[in-house]
Amino acid sequence: MFKNIFYGIWGIFAFFGIFVVFIILSIVNVVKDDMKPVALPKEMVLGIDFSNNIPEHYSNEIDLDNLGKSGIYPPFTSFISGLKNAKNDASVKGIFAILEDNSLGIAQVEEIRNEIEEIKASGKKTVIFIPSMGLGLKDYYLASSFDEIWMPPNGMLPIVGVSAQVPFFKGVLEKIGVEPVVFAKHEYKGMMSSFTEKNMPLKIKENTEDMLKGMYNEIVANIAKSRNLTEKEVNDLINEAPILALKAKEKGLVDKTLYRSDAVFLAKKMFGNIGDFVDVGIYSEVVASNFDEKLPNIAVLTLSGEIQNGKVMEGFSPIIGDRNVYEEIQRIKEIENLKAVVLRIDSPGGSYDAADNIRHELSVLKQEKNIPIIASFGNVSASGGYFIAMAADKIVSD
């Protein structure tokens, strides 16, 4: 009984994680063969709704006719490719975004920020409306990359800093008579400390604080640069938070205060009334479909979730199955004129031997096809996630 309780708690912990909510394994299909052709207007403004989920994986739920309405966008790699294309697309005149609740991690936020900054530099106008009162520093960090930030007059910015929450279950386990037996390599390998300690161990606390300080300093520096403020001014405003909309406007954090209907009306007028906004999800998918079959191919293999042995049924568990990856690698080997593989990893790790199996098969793929593998890290690439990347020739990370 106690063993079942322990595994039940461990299952909950593994699902929610310490810092991230893990998402299911999926192999990215770069182009969908059954996608219906969609004609884009000659002039358009892209619309982004950040409350839609932008998964690392490709979801079977994606329906081109309902993108932007179904709550799911194309996978993150396609989303970023769409923004990259928009920068040089003369038909795209700008971007209007709405930022409410979102599931983006800090690394994804920074990648999107970089693309918005590039679009701004190309001369296109970017505007974001933030109607929610519950947005934190991470969300404002994303918004700060846009030319203009608008919010309702009664809005509030609770930009109170960064934090990490780590649950500890030892007290609960003691009460039910469970004594976990776990093993850890070294003092910084602290995932299992949640079961063996009642408080955060000193070394784990030291490591976590160091990570948060680095993250916070980078956020402050980039907000200051984007909003033409000093780092001291940004620090002072964070220490004063939460900040009401009118004061945020006075201090240079916000450009306009207005309600949603007024924001949409003003945005369309600002962009020259060239029609309804074209959802960035549809734009990204259309861009991905307009490929030249004569050009060389680059395969994108996305590994997202916890790593385990065996085959995993997609959609049922946040797990990377080494057999799933093996089968996908065999399909990649059959691609004609294959020039490279981009390995997108968003994983906290998991089974050592499963990670080793995946790493080995990627090394075989690289040797047999005589191609490079480039690893790109998402929000987290820890332990086995990093180990898999050892098969790559180059590793890039936010």
Side-chain angles (χ1 to χ4, degrees):
M1 173 184 174
F2 290 144
K3 181 178 180 182
N4 291 337
I5 293 174
F6 173 72
Y7 282 128
I9 294 174
W10 166 242
I12 294 172
F13 177 73
F15 182 77
F16 288 103
I18 297 177
F19 300 110
V20 297
V21 176
F22 304 144
I23 56 179
I24 66 170
L25 163 73
S26 179
I27 306 302
V28 172
N29 299 313
V30 180
V31 178
K32 305 202 80 175
D33 295 332
D34 59 349
M35 189 177 72
K36 299 175 184 178
V38 174
L40 295 174
K42 294 182 179 179
E43 289 188 330
M44 61 186 139
V45 175
L46 297 185
I48 304 176
D49 184 353
F50 284 110
S51 63
N52 287 329
N53 182 30
I54 311 174
E56 286 287 353
H57 61 286
Y58 222 120
S59 171
N60 289 331
E61 298 178 52
I62 285 183
D63 176 0
L64 189 63
D65 293 329
N66 293 309
L67 273 172
K69 300 175 184 177
S70 62
I72 299 175
Y73 270 153
F76 191 76
T77 51
S78 295
F79 183 87
I80 290 294
S81 294
L83 292 182
K84 286 183 179 293
N85 191 82
K87 179 182 69 173
N88 299 314
D89 187 345
S91 64
V92 176
K93 303 305 178 183
I95 293 179
F96 178 72
I98 295 178
L99 176 61
E100 295 179 279
D101 294 336
N102 65 90
S103 59
L104 294 169
I106 188 65
Q108 294 171 318
V109 164
E110 289 212 333
E111 288 197 53
I112 295 172
R113 280 189 96 260
N114 291 340
E115 298 308 324
I116 297 299
E117 293 282 2
E118 290 286 331
I119 290 171
K120 282 191 336 189
S122 72
K124 302 176 191 291
K125 189 75 172 177
T126 60
V127 177
I128 189 165
F129 179 63
I130 48 177
S132 174
M133 295 178 65
L135 299 180
L137 185 59
K138 179 200 71 173
D139 307 293
Y140 182 78
Y141 184 37
L142 172 58
S144 68
S145 60
F146 286 73
D147 284 302
E148 294 192 23
I149 302 174
W150 303 349
M151 67 184 303
N154 62 354
M156 182 173 62
L157 290 177
I159 49 173
V160 294
V162 297
S163 66
Q165 294 182 339
V166 184
F168 291 94
F169 301 116
K170 184 178 180 181
V172 175
L173 296 177
E174 286 179 348
K175 288 182 178 181
I176 61 176
V178 173
E179 182 179 352
V181 178
V182 300
F183 301 92
K185 280 286 185 181
H186 292 288
E187 64 271 22
Y188 289 103
K189 197 78 168 175
M191 184 173 183
M192 298 306 293
S193 64
S194 288
F195 300 106
T196 61
E197 308 290 337
K198 292 182 179 179
N199 299 294
M200 186 177 288
L202 180 61
K203 292 297 183 182
I204 304 304
K205 183 177 181 180
E206 175 187 281
N207 190 42
T208 303
E209 287 180 343
D210 184 61
M211 178 190 70
L212 291 175
K213 285 177 183 177
M215 187 184 298
Y216 177 80
N217 290 336
E218 185 171 1
I219 288 173
V220 168
N222 288 333
I223 288 176
K225 182 178 179 181
S226 296
R227 296 300 301 175
N228 294 318
L229 299 169
T230 66
E231 290 184 29
K232 182 181 184 306
E233 287 174 324
V234 175
N235 266 311
D236 290 344
L237 289 166
I238 290 173
N239 289 330
E240 291 179 31
I243 302 171
L244 295 175
L246 295 178
K247 185 174 182 179
K249 180 181 177 183
E250 175 189 333
K251 295 293 185 179
L253 294 176
V254 172
D255 298 286
K256 286 183 175 65
T257 55
L258 69 174
Y259 292 99
R260 186 190 296 262
S261 58
D262 297 325
V264 173
F265 176 80
L266 181 60
K268 288 186 176 182
K269 184 177 179 182
M270 176 184 293
F271 288 114
N273 292 316
I274 58 178
D276 291 334
F277 305 128
V278 175
D279 191 272
V280 71
I282 294 176
Y283 177 81
S284 299
E285 289 291 271
V286 172
V287 167
S289 68
N290 294 332
F291 68 99
D292 187 341
E293 295 181 353
K294 298 179 181 178
L295 292 175
N297 287 302
I298 297 176
V300 179
L301 178 62
T302 297
L303 305 180
S304 180
E306 186 182 353
I307 304 165
Q308 288 194 12
N309 298 92
K311 189 166 186 175
V312 178
M313 295 299 293
E314 183 180 344
F316 288 94
S317 182
I319 294 172
I320 299 169
D322 62 349
R323 182 176 169 186
N324 298 72
V325 181
Y326 170 80
E327 292 173 355
E328 186 63 21
I329 288 173
Q330 304 317 303
R331 287 191 285 269
I332 289 174
K333 288 180 180 180
E334 298 175 0
I335 297 175
E336 296 182 3
N337 202 14
L338 182 66
K339 297 299 181 182
V341 172
V342 172
L343 181 64
R344 177 70 174 183
I345 300 175
D346 183 23
S347 172
S351 166
Y352 167 78
D353 56 330
D356 187 39
N357 291 339
I358 295 171
R359 180 202 58 79
H360 173 75
E361 295 303 330
L362 287 168
S363 298
V364 171
L365 168 67
K366 183 169 65 173
Q367 294 171 3
E368 287 185 5
K369 302 293 286 187
N370 192 27
I371 56 172
I373 295 178
I374 311 300
S376 167
F377 287 166
N379 289 309
V380 58
S381 295
S383 193
Y386 187 84
F387 183 39
I388 289 174
M390 294 298 95
D393 298 272
K394 298 285 183 181
I395 297 174
V396 295
S397 178
D398 176 72

